[in-house]
């Protein structure tokens, strides 16, 4: 008899996941990921909301401080504050002067110790200029009056130094290119321009200014100054004639002027349209 066949021993191998179980696992992972994203977004929104609340609180505090400071500033009369400061300075000056005189010291010399020589000279020059300006207010002649107007306009003139430097360098470069100026560098590195023919710098006989074209802003400023001068002249003329107010002259004497003003106060709002229609020529 042939020998009996031996039975093989086999190990139990776990079965692979079924499609349904794999799909359930992937759904759980996606749900876990979406929940994590939602939690992160909620945390980010909470942090942004907290930052906005903190910024709003800080802004409200700053606005409250500014409003308090503004109310205090409006409640304080600047003229009264200036007057109090002036009185305090005068009182301090008189007290120092009395103490110096009681001690037998020279008050002006003692007070000058707090200032340098340059500051003292500038202050003396300022006082002298102020006194001369105060004495120069009265009308002397038309030439003197024109000089005062000229000095006031020069004082109000704002010089554009950057534009001046650009125009200066442009003129120097143009003169150097034409041969009128010779530019060389000194030992310390500074550029020096030498006028050989003496034709670069203007003199009484120079006519180069006729080629200058002023900018539009300068022209507008000149027109504005002329208009202001004309307005001031007309205002003074009206004041001399006793007609300081603007508008047409509708009276023959002071009593008639007062009567017309009273009428205008009560009836001007009703008759203004009729007067305008008559002036335009469109009245029926």
């Amino acid at each position: 008899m042939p020998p009996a066949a031996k039975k093989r021993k086999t190990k139990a191998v776990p079965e692979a996941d079924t499609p349904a179980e794999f799909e359930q696992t992937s759904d759980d992972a996606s749900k876990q990921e979406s929940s994590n994203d939602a939690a992160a977004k909620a945390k980010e929104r909470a942090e942004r909301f907290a930052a906005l609340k903190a910024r709003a609180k800080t802004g409200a505090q700053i606005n409250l401080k500014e409003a308090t400071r503004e109310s205090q500033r409006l409640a304080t009369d600047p003229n009264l504050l200036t007057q109090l400061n002036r009185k305090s300075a005068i009182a301090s000056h008189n007290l120092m002067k009395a103490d110096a005189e009681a001690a037998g010291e020279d008050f002006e010399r003692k007070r000058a110790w707090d200032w340098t020589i340059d500051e003292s000279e500038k202050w003396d020059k300022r006082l002298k200029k102020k006194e001369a300006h105060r004495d120069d207010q009265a009308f002397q002649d038309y030439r003197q009056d024109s000089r005062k107007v000229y000095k006031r306009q020069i004082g109000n003139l704002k010089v554009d130094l950057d534009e001046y430097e650009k125009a200066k360098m442009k003129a120097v470069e143009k003169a150097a290119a034409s041969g009128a100026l010779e530019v060389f560098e000194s030992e310390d590195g500074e550029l020096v321009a030498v006028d050989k023919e003496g034709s670069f710098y203007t003199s009484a006989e120079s006519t180069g200014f006729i080629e200058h074209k002023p900018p539009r802003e300068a022209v507008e400023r000149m027109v504005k100054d002329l208009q202001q001068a004309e307005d001031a002249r007309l205002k003074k003329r009206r004041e001399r004639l006793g007609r300081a107010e603007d508008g047409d002259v509708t009276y023959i004497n002071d009593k008639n002027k007062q009567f017309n003003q009273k009428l205008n106060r009560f009836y001007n709002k009703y008759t203004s349209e009729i007067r305008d229609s008559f002036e335009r020529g469109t009245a029926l």
Side-chain angles (χ1 to χ4, degrees), residues 100-214:
E101 291 177 354
E105 299 176 349
D106 188 359
F107 173 68
E108 295 295 336
R109 184 171 181 271
K110 183 178 180 180
R111 191 178 62 167
W113 291 347
D114 299 332
W115 309 95
T116 62
I117 297 177
D118 294 337
E119 291 174 343
S120 180
E121 290 179 352
K122 288 181 180 179
W123 179 255
D124 294 339
K125 185 178 179 180
R126 181 180 176 183
L127 290 180
K128 185 177 180 181
K129 185 178 180 180
K130 186 176 181 180
E131 184 178 359
H133 178 71
R134 184 171 58 248
D135 298 337
D136 198 26
Q137 289 299 317
F139 178 79
Q140 299 177 7
D141 52 25
Y142 289 103
R143 184 175 182 179
Q144 188 75 4
D145 192 57
S146 300
R147 185 185 67 84
K148 289 192 295 184
V149 173
Y150 172 75
K151 290 182 66 176
R152 184 174 66 249
Q153 291 177 350
I154 292 297
N156 296 331
L157 183 63
K158 296 180 180 179
V159 181
D160 191 355
L161 296 179
D162 296 336
E163 189 67 25
Y164 168 75
E165 290 295 334
K166 291 180 181 178
K168 180 180 176 182
M169 292 304 299
K170 185 178 179 180
V172 170
E173 292 175 357
K174 182 178 179 181
S178 63
L181 286 179
E182 181 180 358
V183 181
F184 66 93
E185 186 176 358
S186 61
E187 296 179 356
D188 55 356
E190 183 180 3
L191 296 177
V192 180
V194 179
D195 187 7
K196 289 184 176 181
E197 302 176 356
S199 59
F200 176 70
Y201 297 100
T202 57
S203 60
E205 291 79 15
S206 301
T207 58
F209 62 90
I210 61 175
E211 301 177 358
H212 174 67
K213 185 178 180 181

Side-chain angles (χ1 to χ4, degrees), residues 6 13-14 36 46 51 54 66 72 79 82 93 96 103 120 123 174 194 205 207 224 246 253 264 279:
K6 296 182 178 181
V13 179
N36 293 336
E66 292 294 335
Q72 292 176 356
N79 296 329
T82 304
H93 178 272
M96 290 175 58
S120 180
W123 179 255
K174 182 178 179 181
V194 179
E205 291 79 15
T207 58
K224 184 179 179 181
D246 296 328
N253 51 35
N264 291 334
E279 291 177 359

Side-chain angles (χ1 to χ4, degrees), residues 29-49:
S30 61
K31 289 180 180 179
Q32 183 76 16
E33 185 178 357
S34 62
S35 62
N36 293 336
D37 294 341
K41 291 181 179 179
K43 184 178 180 181
E44 183 181 358
R45 285 196 296 268
E47 292 177 354
R48 290 175 57 189
F49 182 68

Side-chain angles (χ1 to χ4, degrees), residues 228-243:
Q228 289 178 353
E230 183 67 16
D231 294 341
R233 187 183 68 81
L234 294 177
K235 183 179 179 181
K236 290 183 178 179
R237 184 172 180 269
R238 287 194 299 268
E239 289 176 354
R240 287 196 301 268
L241 296 176
R243 300 194 294 267

